[in-house]
Amino acid sequence: MRTGRPRTPIGTHGAINTRRASGRVVAEARVRDLDGRLRQVRASGPTAAAARTRLLERIRERPSLPSAGVLRPTSSFADLADLWLADLELRDLAGNTKENYRTCLRLHVRPAFEHYTLAEVTTGRVEWFLAKQAKVSPSQAKQTRTMLNILFGYALRHDAIARNPVEGTSQLRRAKTTPQALTLEQIAAIREAAAKWRSEPGLPGPKPDGQVRDIIEVLLGTAMRPGEVLALRPCDMEDLPTGMIASVNGTVVQRKGSGAERQSRPKTDASIRRIPVPEFAADVLRRRIRDMPRDARTRTRTIFASRSGTPLSPYNIRRTFREFLLLADLGGSGISLRWYRRTGATVIARGIGTDAAATFLGHTSTVITEGHYIEPDPALDRTPAVHLERTLRPAAPDGSLLANRPADREAELLDAVDRESDDDAVA
């Protein structure tokens, strides 16, 4: 077992010694550099104090750890947040993603930890904070945990901490929700309400242009996200003899201070896709493209746009849709525009399969599609019950099983299996 003096930490120095030489005072100390080696550093001055001061200046001027002067264990959490926000601006992330990070940091994370140093933010403190957040909202707790994990991962990469305190916290449990799709009756009621909305004579203001009514038809026929439908342009549509094909390559986001903008990338890379459009939705898109102004911008302007040609605001679309729901007596149903995406996923999964639904929706895995978009099928498969009936039905009124007669039972089981195989082959 190794004994002796503890090893000098990297970037620090040992004891400073002074001695006289040629009428001056020499101060010296051993410094452990970034390569792990100890080196002697000297400085001289007219007095011992001056020599020590000069030596410390030389030590500070030596190459140091990347975090020196930027982030250290003694740095405040507020310093970490500021540096990470500056780094965030350089990241190739969607504008909405950046804005969500800033909001979560400003409202929830920073107020809870800004008075701590990085070394003081322990796993226990993070655990307590997340438990408190989970009582308010499981979704909010999940977002704040992600935010903290990103921040301390950044500090870890800059050698400011030895370990990420978020990694040891308990997994957050989220109440499992069952995906719900629209029924045919609900679809019909919303369609009727959309057609009637603000159609009464004598109403003040401009007449509805029918854009929100058409948007929900395209949502129903494509299972796109609302922002993806709002971002569709004429140049994204291929109207072939075999039918229309839509290229999903962007989304509309609401920028703080600048309004709705078309972002030239959808939510994920897997969301970039080409999908066939059913005729009822294709007819809506053809009509909208046909009615667009014929100018040089027509091919790049969004199909659904404001009177000035800018993309429609997702907030305004949702507000109008809520009015449709009130008119259809569905105001308290919890239905939102996202239900159209679930409806498309459910119809495709039940008719073709989960894999087809995941591909159509732009998911990398069927796990996401099954867990969040496909409504469980209430229909029961009667095949297991039929098989149990054939196999285990009592042979006598007293309830005794066929297994009481092993030899006969084996023969009957084989006959049953043969008959079932023959039935399947005929079917």
Side-chain angles (χ1 to χ4, degrees):
M1 182 174 180
R2 186 173 181 176
T3 59
R5 290 184 303 173
R7 179 171 292 189
T8 304
I10 290 177
T12 63
H13 61 83
I16 297 176
N17 300 311
T18 59
R19 57 184 173 83
R20 285 194 171 273
S22 303
R24 293 177 67 83
V25 178
V26 176
E28 55 189 5
R30 299 211 303 173
V31 178
R32 192 168 181 218
D33 288 326
L34 288 179
D35 58 5
R37 295 183 179 182
L38 283 167
R39 292 180 175 88
Q40 196 82 4
V41 181
R42 296 183 179 88
S44 62
T47 64
R52 289 172 63 90
T53 301
R54 179 59 181 149
L55 176 64
L56 291 173
E57 289 176 356
R58 285 192 175 182
I59 291 173
R60 284 196 295 268
E61 290 169 358
R62 296 178 70 80
S64 57
L65 293 174
S67 62
V70 181
L71 282 178
R72 295 180 179 179
T74 54
S75 300
S76 70
F77 183 86
D79 291 337
L80 169 62
D82 291 338
L83 286 169
W84 181 83
L85 285 171
D87 182 71
L88 178 65
E89 296 304 315
L90 305 176
R91 299 284 179 178
D92 184 23
L93 295 173
N96 255 23
T97 301
K98 291 182 178 181
E99 187 58 34
N100 290 339
Y101 282 153
R102 294 189 200 100
T103 301
C104 182
L105 178 60
R106 175 174 53 85
L107 295 181
H108 307 298
V109 177
R110 187 163 187 157
F113 294 98
E114 63 182 345
H115 299 298
Y116 291 110
T117 65
L118 299 185
E120 290 173 336
V121 182
T122 62
T123 299
R125 284 194 169 100
V126 175
E127 175 83 8
W128 174 83
F129 169 71
L130 293 177
K132 184 179 177 182
Q133 290 280 298
K135 291 181 180 179
V136 177
S137 167
S139 176
Q140 181 176 304
K142 184 179 179 181
Q143 291 176 2
T144 53
R145 189 182 194 276
T146 300
M147 187 77 260
L148 283 169
N149 201 32
I150 292 172
L151 285 165
F152 285 109
Y154 178 83
L156 190 64
R157 291 192 298 274
H158 287 75
D159 295 317
I161 54 176
R163 61 182 296 274
N164 186 341
V166 183
E167 291 181 355
T169 57
S170 304
Q171 290 295 322
L172 295 172
R173 294 186 178 182
R174 187 173 182 178
K176 184 174 177 58
T177 57
T178 301
Q180 286 184 278
L182 294 166
T183 65
L184 294 177
E185 291 77 12
Q186 289 170 335
I187 292 172
I190 296 172
R191 277 173 166 163
E192 183 179 357
K196 291 180 178 178
W197 182 68
R198 291 185 58 83
S199 61
E200 302 90 338
L203 287 178
K207 293 292 182 182
D209 57 10
Q211 291 205 80
V212 180
R213 177 197 63 207
D214 290 345
I215 287 168
I216 62 177
E217 288 299 308
V218 178
L219 286 172
L220 188 63
T222 62
M224 292 183 191
R225 299 178 180 90
E228 293 172 347
V229 171
L230 296 179
L232 289 175
R233 303 165 299 178
C235 60
D236 299 324
M237 316 306 299
E238 300 175 68
D239 208 353
L240 306 175
T242 54
M244 180 176 282
I245 297 175
S247 295
V248 181
N249 52 38
T251 188
V252 168
V253 295
Q254 191 81 19
R255 304 285 192 200
K256 188 175 181 179
S258 59
E261 296 178 6
R262 188 186 189 278
Q263 178 179 284
S264 59
R265 54 186 289 183
K267 183 176 181 180
T268 64
D269 291 340
S271 300
I272 301 174
R273 62 200 187 279
R274 296 172 70 245
I275 58 174
V277 181
E279 280 302 301
F280 74 87
D283 288 341
V284 171
L285 291 168
R286 291 187 188 106
R287 172 169 50 79
R288 281 287 166 187
I289 294 173
R290 186 174 60 248
D291 294 342
M292 290 176 69
R294 295 183 177 276
D295 55 29
R297 299 174 301 165
T298 299
R299 301 297 296 174
T300 56
R301 200 195 79 168
T302 55
I303 296 173
F304 299 101
S306 66
R307 287 180 173 83
S308 59
T310 58
L312 293 179
S313 166
Y315 295 162
N316 294 340
I317 301 300
R318 290 196 289 268
R319 184 177 65 247
T320 301
F321 181 71
R322 287 194 293 269
E323 294 185 20
F324 291 173
L325 295 177
L326 291 173
L327 191 58
D329 292 329
L330 294 171
S333 62
I335 294 173
S336 67
L337 290 173
R338 294 181 180 180
W339 284 46
Y340 283 88
R341 186 165 166 82
R342 297 177 195 161
T343 302
T346 302
V347 171
I348 295 171
R350 291 183 186 175
I352 307 175
T354 305
D355 289 339
T359 301
F360 197 79
L361 268 65
H363 291 159
T364 55
S365 169
T366 58
V367 174
I368 297 174
T369 315
E370 289 178 324
H372 300 280
Y373 290 91
I374 300 174
E375 184 178 74
D377 191 348
L380 292 176
D381 184 0
R382 301 293 303 176
T383 306
V386 172
H387 185 70
L388 290 170
E389 169 69 17
R390 289 178 179 177
T391 306
L392 301 175
R393 191 173 189 274
D398 61 0
S400 58
L401 294 175
L402 296 178
N404 293 336
R405 293 176 294 173
D408 295 343
R409 173 64 179 146
E410 182 177 358
E412 290 178 12
L413 280 173
L414 291 173
D415 290 342
V417 171
D418 290 341
R419 288 195 300 273
E420 189 170 355
S421 300
D422 292 341
D423 293 343
D424 292 340
V426 171

